[in-house]
């Protein structure tokens, strides 16, 4: 191969790379646009799920705060730990999968009903949801536990190194398991096959996933600004933010708009990845 031919191949590869990058930006735009329209039209179906999700999230944080800030009897601690496990490993993952299931029904113009949800959760479905989400939940729990023991590190560099490593691990785990809950909502195949399919589908898609997450950066900035202003005014009027954990954890209500939009976007992106992969998922 001469220099001229090599140069042509390099230019062709660059064009393919640029086309692929532009194509994903278009895909993300369409996904977010459809998510916004669908959530606005069908918000009544999502509100209860988002409300429950925020309650469970604030409850988990509240349990962490109570366990590590007060001295309580072993009996109370066992109850709180059991409640924390139930919230983190069962209630939160199940709520997300039901959200995806509801979103799929809306996309396919099927009737959304409580009876369908109850039937969906019968049998071994709960166990499958818990098993598939076990690793991401454990990683998330490890990071949350580390924050509770921050004082023990005396703000040393070791804490920030471990925290950074766990945060990166949590993000990477969420990336690799990204398609799992979508296929759980689809009732596709068994637990092992769903996990294997997600790991294979997300292979070499890390930069696309990062770009997808960065496309929501404006929302993340809005949430940070609202939380900062909200906490500032709470301090001005001498109200303990811990007493309003549900309000603060929902970013003073912003999450009731952002969370359904983000979750539905995740559903559409997972569907796109599932339908545009060379991997096979046994149904």
């Amino acid at each position: 191969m001469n220099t001229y031919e090599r140069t042509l191949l390099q230019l062709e590869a660059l064009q393919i790379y640029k086309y692929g990058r532009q194509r994903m930006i278009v895909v993300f735009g369409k996904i977010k646009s459809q998510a916004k329209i669908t959530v606005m039209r069908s918000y009544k179906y999502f509100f209860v799920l988002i409300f429950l999700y925020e309650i469970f999230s604030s409850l988990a944080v509240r349990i962490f705060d109570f366990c590590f800030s007060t001295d309580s009897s072993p009996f109370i601690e066992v109850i709180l730990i059991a409640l924390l496990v139930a919230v983190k490993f069962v209630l939160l993952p199940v709520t997300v999968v039901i959200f995806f299931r509801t979103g799929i029904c809306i996309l396919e113009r099927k009737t959304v009903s409580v009876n369908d949800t109850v039937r969906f959760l019968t049998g071994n479905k709960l166990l499958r949801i818990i098993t598939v989400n076990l690793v991401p939940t454990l990683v998330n729990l490890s990071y949350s536990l580390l924050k509770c023991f921050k004082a023990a590190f005396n703000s040393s560099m070791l804490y920030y190194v471990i925290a950074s490593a766990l945060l990166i691990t949590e993000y990477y785990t969420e990336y690799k398991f990204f398609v799992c809950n979508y296929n759980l909502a689809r009732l596709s195949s068994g637990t092992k096959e769903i996990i294997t399919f997600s790991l294979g589908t997300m292979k070499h898609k890390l930069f696309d996933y990062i770009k997808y997450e960065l496309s929501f950066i404006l929302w993340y900035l809005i949430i940070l600004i609202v939380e900062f202003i909200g906490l500032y005014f709470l301090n001005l009027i001498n109200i303990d933010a811990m007493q309003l954990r549900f309000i603060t954890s929902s970013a003073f209500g912003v999450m009731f708009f952002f969370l359904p939009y983000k979750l539905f976007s995740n559903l559409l992106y997972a569907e796109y990845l599932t339908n545009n992969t060379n991997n096979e998922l046994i149904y």
Side-chain angles (χ1 to χ4, degrees), residues 30-41:
K30 290 182 177 179
I31 284 173
K32 294 169 68 177
S33 177
Q34 184 178 350
K36 188 182 299 182
I37 293 171
T38 307
V39 169
M40 288 177 65
R41 288 177 178 174

Side-chain angles (χ1 to χ4, degrees), residues 60 64 83-93 137 140-141 144:
F64 266 114
L83 184 59
L84 179 64
V85 169
V87 170
K88 296 287 287 186
F89 288 88
V90 182
L91 297 178
L92 286 174
T137 304
N140 175 265
L141 192 62
S144 300

Side-chain angles (χ1 to χ4, degrees), residues 173-201:
T173 305
E174 289 177 355
Y175 148 69
K176 295 299 288 184
F177 283 72
F178 182 76
V179 185
C180 285
N181 284 330
Y182 169 77
N183 286 305
L184 276 171
R186 283 281 188 192
L187 293 176
S188 51
S189 194
T191 302
K192 181 180 178 181
E193 289 77 12
I194 287 175
I195 295 175
T196 304
F197 178 79
S198 183
L199 296 178
T201 300

Side-chain angles (χ1 to χ4, degrees), residues 32 36 210-227 251 254-255 257-259 261-262:
K32 294 169 68 177
K36 188 182 299 182
I210 292 173
K211 285 186 287 186
Y212 169 73
E213 289 293 331
L214 287 177
S215 68
F216 295 94
I217 192 168
L218 183 60
W219 273 99
Y220 297 138
L221 289 174
I222 291 173
I223 291 170
L224 286 174
I225 293 171
V226 170
E227 286 184 337
V254 176
M255 294 300 289
F257 299 96
F258 172 67
L259 194 56
Y261 169 53
K262 179 63 165 63

Side-chain angles (χ1 to χ4, degrees), residues 64-178:
F64 266 114
D65 294 337
F66 186 83
C67 286
F68 294 96
S69 62
T70 60
D71 294 326
S72 56
S73 66
F75 178 73
I76 297 297
E77 289 181 353
V78 169
I79 292 177
L80 289 174
I81 291 173
L83 184 59
L84 179 64
V85 169
V87 170
K88 296 287 287 186
F89 288 88
V90 182
L91 297 178
L92 286 174
V94 167
T95 304
V96 173
V97 174
I98 292 176
F99 183 100
F100 278 21
R101 179 73 175 176
T102 303
I104 290 170
C105 289
I106 291 172
L107 288 174
E108 296 179 350
R109 301 183 184 279
K110 295 180 179 178
T111 303
V112 179
S113 66
V114 176
N115 291 334
D116 177 71
T117 302
V118 172
R119 286 195 299 270
F120 170 73
L121 294 175
T122 55
N124 65 343
K125 307 296 191 312
L126 279 175
L127 182 60
R128 289 173 64 183
I129 293 172
I130 295 169
T131 305
V132 169
N133 286 278
L134 183 62
V135 173
T137 304
L138 282 173
V139 175
N140 175 265
L141 192 62
S142 300
Y143 179 69
S144 300
L145 285 171
L146 179 67
K147 291 192 293 184
C148 294
F149 289 102
K150 182 178 181 179
F153 288 88
N154 295 320
S155 299
S156 65
M157 184 60 66
L158 179 61
Y159 168 80
Y160 294 103
V161 171
I162 298 175
S164 299
L166 284 176
L167 192 61
I168 293 172
T169 304
E170 180 181 1
Y171 184 83
Y172 187 77
T173 305
E174 289 177 355
Y175 148 69
K176 295 299 288 184
F177 283 72
F178 182 76

